[in-house]
Amino acid sequence: VPLICLSSLLCQAVRKARGLYAKMPKPSLPLEESDSGESCSGGPKPANQQPRPHRQPASETSSGDEARPEPPEAPVDPRTLLVTPRVYAALSAARRANALSIFGKCYFLCSLMFAYTICPILLNVFLAWFNKALIEMGFSFASIVGITFVTGVVAFLLPPVPGLTVYVFGGLMMSSTCPDGFWAGALINIMLGWVLKLVACAIQQKLIGGLLGKSLWVRRTCGVHKVTIRCIEAELRRPGWTIGKLSILCGGPDWPVSVLAGILNLSLLQCELGTLPIIFFII
């Protein structure tokens, strides 16, 4: 915000120096009759014109809690502003905003950021303990593969959990418990992580995004009508492999991309096809 205000201050100074506001007409105030018996044009009222009846305040005329709408603000002459009119309008709107509502939203965003920061760290600690516990319990290798698969699916369904943490956990589990050695366990982990990613994307898209997409409030909040989302939708609807499609499905965040694909009601087959190259990231 300070950088925007500073750049707006410099831009306004340049505009004044170039005289861009010189040819602009000065904003006119709304025409209202004064109580002195003269009109805004400076002349006297006509003799046959009846005086305007006096309006009582809203608190006296209305029986309910409804208040009269505030009159529109008088236009501001851009020549008198220190910043550009656009920034001035944004600052004026911020001054009129409800401070308690802003503080509540700030607390919510800070809590969300804290969760996204601390959850991967706590997950790493938990998975390290879980890895050691499974090895000490003496489960068979097939059981460990199944437990790793279920744990990975559950982790993928949590928005703050990155996919890299799940792949690393599977690599540690498979390579340390595989009876055929390290490289066999690493190969099994690559295939397991690949299938795990595809299954998790299908669940996120159909079960989470598909259900959320039925809500008009969710679709409006996600901005499915905006240009950015429409461009993403148009790219994801293209059949086969394209650079943009692969970049979104394989390079974007796991949970938001899959859930957004479900909200947009995209083809599951095409999305899974575009996610196949994720195996190179797993390797």
Side-chain angles (χ1 to χ4, degrees):
V1 175
L3 183 60
I4 294 176
C5 293
L6 179 60
S7 60
S8 178
L9 181 65
L10 296 176
C11 182
Q12 181 73 355
V14 172
R15 291 181 180 181
K16 290 181 179 180
R18 295 180 59 186
L20 298 181
Y21 297 126
K23 298 181 180 180
M24 294 179 57
K26 292 186 178 181
S28 59
L29 296 176
L31 298 178
E32 294 181 355
E33 295 178 352
S34 61
D35 297 336
S36 60
E38 296 182 355
S39 63
C40 295
S41 59
K45 292 183 180 180
N48 57 353
Q49 184 175 355
Q50 298 296 330
R52 180 178 297 179
H54 177 69
R55 289 186 179 182
Q56 296 181 356
S59 59
E60 299 178 4
T61 58
S62 60
S63 58
D65 296 334
E66 298 181 356
R68 293 174 54 188
E70 297 182 357
E73 295 184 358
V76 181
D77 189 358
R79 302 176 184 85
T80 61
L81 300 179
L82 295 178
V83 294
T84 57
R86 185 175 183 180
V87 174
Y88 175 80
L91 294 177
S92 300
R95 287 195 298 265
R96 293 191 302 267
N98 187 359
L100 294 178
S101 176
I102 294 177
F103 287 150
K105 294 176 182 177
C106 289
Y107 277 118
F108 173 76
L109 293 177
C110 291
S111 301
L112 190 64
M113 185 63 186
F114 177 78
Y116 268 85
T117 304
I118 201 67
C119 281
I121 300 176
L122 297 179
L123 182 64
N124 290 334
V125 176
F126 169 75
L127 293 180
W129 169 84
F130 192 56
N131 183 14
K132 182 179 180 181
L134 289 180
I135 295 176
E136 292 178 352
M137 290 179 183
F139 285 100
S140 63
F141 182 69
S143 301
I144 292 178
V145 171
I147 293 174
T148 304
F149 180 82
V150 175
T151 304
V153 171
V154 174
F156 263 114
L157 296 181
L158 302 177
V161 177
L164 180 61
T165 304
V166 180
Y167 302 143
V168 173
F169 167 71
L172 294 175
M173 290 294 300
M174 298 299 104
S175 60
S176 59
T177 58
C178 181
D180 296 330
F182 173 83
W183 293 109
L187 181 60
I188 293 175
N189 174 64
I190 293 174
M191 301 306 298
L192 179 65
W194 192 32
V195 176
L196 176 63
K197 169 68 175 179
L198 297 178
V199 172
C201 288
I203 295 176
Q204 292 167 354
Q205 180 174 344
K206 287 301 181 182
L207 295 185
I208 301 179
L211 296 177
L212 292 178
K214 298 179 180 179
S215 172
L216 182 61
W217 179 84
V218 172
R219 295 177 63 87
R220 184 173 64 250
T221 304
C222 294
V224 297
H225 59 287
K226 296 183 178 179
V227 177
T228 303
I229 303 299
R230 296 298 296 271
C231 292
I232 295 176
E233 179 183 2
E235 188 64 32
L236 293 180
R237 288 191 182 277
R238 298 178 64 180
W241 287 353
T242 62
I243 296 179
K245 186 176 182 179
L246 297 181
S247 301
I248 295 172
L249 294 176
C250 297
D254 303 308
W255 197 90
V257 171
S258 299
V259 173
L260 180 62
I263 294 176
L264 297 176
N265 196 22
L266 300 178
S267 172
L268 178 61
L269 178 61
Q270 291 296 326
C271 291
E272 293 289 276
L273 180 64
T275 313
L276 291 179
I278 196 66
I279 189 173
F280 297 104
F281 176 77
I282 300 174
I283 295 175

